[in-house]
């Protein structure tokens, strides 16, 4: 156990965010430095309780009390070894994970949870600084080849596990760069891309091959892919955005979030001098209150929007755990992300009725109405209609599933009732030797689940090819969060 009295004597601390007026002038991550000494004290708050529910809360089964103890004892090298034992990419989760482990922390029953996510990011940052993160070469080559389609966190985790198991792994990605949503969805201010690039360098040195600009099902047929590889892992994500087909949807100035965020990210990558869709000087409305909406919010502020309003159809969530979401579940609470802190207004319990345009077909406003829930449906509250002037609307209402045209149709894989790719216990689809991991099978989810699925699918592939149980499989395809 770490400090036996730590949880009694040390209050929870997390790093401060940089002042809003300063951070809005750049795209860098928003957090200030947190000293190693402060962090060791935070790790010392872990009680090493008999049944660590945080393990259950973390979809990777991260060995949290073990690395907390090692950090508290200043054995940072031991800590990264324990962390890497269950998580290929702690820098992705340490910056981006909503930390369901903290919602499940036993200390959180009557006090503030251990700052687990902060300990995680500091361990991996220290490991990179010290040069402890090195390529891990496989002990022996198996002579088998595996194609991984899609280079988001699921594809990358599967690829790294399979390369280290001795297979020749080729990752096919239709975009011009590797990374999936980590590259072109998530903005720099949430995770700077150097974190992704240095991890990709490690993977290349381990032997993983990357082929960009290859749309499987278009540039490369599924038959070719299958004939050239002994197994395939499809990790193409959940890429079909939910739309809002109401009056005025065709007006100029209404875009999906995933039309808006990639060019903004490309400006930061140096590909473009300015974004093709910019919020500069505009009144912006974001429809949808989740992660994607918050990323649009932070991006719009950095581009110099005149105003930003975020609309959410659900009621304002509570500040404290409601009775129907007890510990150790991950509760739906009113959360203020760094992007929310930077400005804009949030409207809850509202629905958009129509988009209004000018005579040139440009968006000039939207009409919204307050709603309440009746018999499970949202119904308008009479007399509450109002016009909200706006020149840019960003739709951030989630994703309905993977694209069928191309790879999935060609393969003829079975889909589940929600339209995602169906898998068996070992993550194999209805097509022999073809596996699927991440949002493509799970539906729109989180990075931590994508990594976990990538690891588990790799275990399934390795067993399929070699008949052995050599790789860890943290989850099954139907495992769900503690909700
Ligand atoms: C804007 C945004 C912000 C988010 N923020 C967070 C966050 O802060 N924290 C969090 O935990 N989660 C977040 N998420 C969710 C998270 O990013 C996803 O759950 C995760 O990236 C899914 O990983 P994946 O590997 O399954 O798919 P993806 O990351 O979507 O990657 C799929 C890749 O497959 C490629 N591809 C698809 N089809 C083909 C094909 N036929 N041939 C070749 N390549 C193909 C795509 O180009 C893409 O690069 C966010 C999502 C969005 C949209
Ligand atoms: S990956 Fe997420 S859930 Fe797991 S320990 Fe890290 S912050 Fe917690």
């Amino acid at each position: 156990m770490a400090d036996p009295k730590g949880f009694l004597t040390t209050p929870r601390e997390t790093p401060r965010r940089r002042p809003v007026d300063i951070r809005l002038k750049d795209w860098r991550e928003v957090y200030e430095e947190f000293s190693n000494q402060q962090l060791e004290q935070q790790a010392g708050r872990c009680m090493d309780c008999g049944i660590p529910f945080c393990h259950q809360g973390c979809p990777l089964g991260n060995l949290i009390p073990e690395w907390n103890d090692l950090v508290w004892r200043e054995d940072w090298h031991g800590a990264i070894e324990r962390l890497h034992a269950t998580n290929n990419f702690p820098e992705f989760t340490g910056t981006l994970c909503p930390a369901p482990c903290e919602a499940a922390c036993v200390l959180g029953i009557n006090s503030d949870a251990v700052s687990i996510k902060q300990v995680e990011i500091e361990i991996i940052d220290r490991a990179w600084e010290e040069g402890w993160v090195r390529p891990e070469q496989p002990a022996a080559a198996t002579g088998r080849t595996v194609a991984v389609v899609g280079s988001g966190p699921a594809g990358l985790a599967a690829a790294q596990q399979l390369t280290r198991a001795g297979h020749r792994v080729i990752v096919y990605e239709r975009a011009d760069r590797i990374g999936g949503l980590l590259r072109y969805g998530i903005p720099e201010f949430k995770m700077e891309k150097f974190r992704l690039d240095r991890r990709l360098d490690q993977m290349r040195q381990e032997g993983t091959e990357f082929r960009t600009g290859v749309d499987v099902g278009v540039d490369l047929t599924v038959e070719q892919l299958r004939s050239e590889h002994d197994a395939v892992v499809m990790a193409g994500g959940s890429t079909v955005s939910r739309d809002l087909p109401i009056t005025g949807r065709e007006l100029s100035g209404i875009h999906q979030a995933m039309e808006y965020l990639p060019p903004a990210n490309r400006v930061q990558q140096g590909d473009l001098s300015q974004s093709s869709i910019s919020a500069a000087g505009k009144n912006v409305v974001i429809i949808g209150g989740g992660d994607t909406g918050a990323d649009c919010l932070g991006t719009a502020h950095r581009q110099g929007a005149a105003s930003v309003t975020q609309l959410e159809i659900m009621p304002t969530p509570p500040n404290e755990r409601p009775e129907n979401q007890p510990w150790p579940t991950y509760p739906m609470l009113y959360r203020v992300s760094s992007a929310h802190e930077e400005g804009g207004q949030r409207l809850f319990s509202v629905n958009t009725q129509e988009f209004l345009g000018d005579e040139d077909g440009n968006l000039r406003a939207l009409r919204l109405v307050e709603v309440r829930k009746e018999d499970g449906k949202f119904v308008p509250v009479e007399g509450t209609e109002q016009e909200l002037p706006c020149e840019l609307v960003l739709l951030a209402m989630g994703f309905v599933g993977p694209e069928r045209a191309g790879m999935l149709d060609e393969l003829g894989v079975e889909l589940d009732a929600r339209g995602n790719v169906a898998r068996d216990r070992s993550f194999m689809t209805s097509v022999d030797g073809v596996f699927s991991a991440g949002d493509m099978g799970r539906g729109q989810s989180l990075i931590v689940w994508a990594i976990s699925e990538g690891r588990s699918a790799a275990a399934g592939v390795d067993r399929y090819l070699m008949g052995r149980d050599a790789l860890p499989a943290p989850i099954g395809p139907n495992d769900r969060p503690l909700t």
Side-chain angles (χ1 to χ4, degrees), residues 188-433:
E188 289 268 325
F189 57 81
K190 267 174 52 182
M191 190 189 79
E192 290 177 30
K193 305 304 173 212
F194 79 88
R195 296 186 184 279
L196 176 57
D197 291 329
R198 68 184 173 188
R199 190 55 89 167
L200 295 176
D201 283 344
Q202 182 207 30
M203 290 182 69
R204 282 189 194 96
Q205 288 170 44
E206 289 173 350
T208 304
E209 295 168 45
F210 294 101
R211 307 232 169 116
T212 52
V214 183
D215 192 345
V216 174
V218 178
D219 304 313
L220 185 69
T221 66
V222 165
E223 288 76 42
Q224 278 171 296
L225 191 75
R226 293 192 70 203
S227 66
E228 288 168 19
H229 302 87
D230 299 302
V232 174
V233 180
M234 299 190 298
S238 176
T239 45
V240 181
S241 304
R242 183 168 285 115
D243 213 324
L244 190 56
I246 56 173
T247 307
R249 172 65 182 88
E250 73 292 348
L251 290 166
S252 167
I254 304 170
H255 300 276
Q256 286 289 352
M258 279 307 291
E259 293 166 353
Y260 172 67
L261 293 170
N265 268 314
R266 282 186 183 280
V267 174
Q268 300 313 310
Q269 296 269 303
D271 296 349
L272 303 172
S273 56
Q274 57 182 36
S275 180
S276 48
I277 309 171
S278 174
K282 293 181 183 156
N283 297 298
V284 181
V285 175
I286 300 163
I287 303 183
D291 268 345
T292 309
D295 290 353
C296 293
L297 177 66
T299 301
H301 277 133
R302 280 165 182 73
Q303 288 177 339
S307 74
V308 192
T309 307
Q310 195 175 8
L311 308 182
E312 172 56 57
I313 197 166
M314 300 295 286
T316 315
N319 289 318
E320 303 285 335
R321 269 184 193 279
E323 271 184 17
N324 63 353
Q325 296 174 51
W327 177 90
T329 63
Y330 186 76
M332 298 304 293
L333 298 179
Y334 183 80
R335 294 189 168 88
V336 180
S337 73
S338 70
H340 294 125
E341 207 181 58
E342 290 161 3
Q345 64 165 341
R346 297 164 83 176
L347 301 180
F348 291 88
S349 296
V350 289
N351 199 4
T352 308
Q353 293 183 308
E354 67 175 314
F355 298 114
L356 307 165
D358 61 19
E359 56 279 9
D360 298 324
N362 295 318
L363 177 74
R364 65 165 182 83
L366 59 74
R367 191 186 315 282
L368 59 81
V369 65
E370 288 175 23
V371 290
R372 63 164 177 267
K373 227 173 178 181
E374 264 178 32
D375 299 329
K377 285 196 180 136
F378 292 102
V379 294
V381 179
E382 236 177 86
T384 61
E385 293 84 1
Q386 56 166 302
E387 262 186 36
L388 196 59
C390 52
E391 298 83 44
L392 178 63
V393 160
L394 301 169
L395 304 175
M397 299 177 303
F399 300 85
V400 293
E403 286 155 46
R404 296 182 194 181
M407 179 168 65
L408 296 188
D409 276 354
E410 268 193 33
L411 267 172
V413 283
E414 275 175 25
L415 303 179
D416 65 16
R418 295 187 305 147
N420 301 315
V421 175
R423 295 87 54 87
D424 67 11
R425 286 291 305 165
S426 65
F427 287 81
M428 187 148 76
T429 68
S430 56
V431 178
D432 186 59

Side-chain angles (χ1 to χ4, degrees), residues 122-170:
E122 298 287 342
I123 294 173
I124 182 62
D125 278 355
R126 173 86 180 256
W128 280 107
E129 271 164 37
E130 300 278 355
W132 295 330
V133 187
R134 297 215 180 93
E136 293 177 28
Q137 306 298 344
T142 62
R144 306 297 172 97
T145 67
V146 183
V148 174
V149 183
S151 66
L156 292 179
Q160 187 167 60
Q161 291 294 94
L162 288 165
T163 303
R164 289 177 176 177
H167 308 298
R168 179 177 175 213
V169 179
I170 302 167

Side-chain angles (χ1 to χ4, degrees), residues 96 150 152-154 173-174 180-181 190 214-216 236 295 438-439 445 447:
L96 298 167
E173 169 57 58
R174 66 183 172 195
L181 288 171
K190 267 174 52 182
V214 183
D215 192 345
V216 174
D295 290 353
D439 284 6
S445 184
I447 285 152

Side-chain angles (χ1 to χ4, degrees), residues 26-45:
D26 61 49
W27 291 76
R28 291 185 25 242
E29 285 173 15
V30 301
Y31 289 99
E32 289 184 348
E33 298 271 304
F34 202 64
S35 73
N36 282 349
Q37 196 199 358
Q38 267 175 303
L39 191 88
E40 283 156 14
Q41 283 180 348
Q42 289 303 305
R45 294 183 70 235

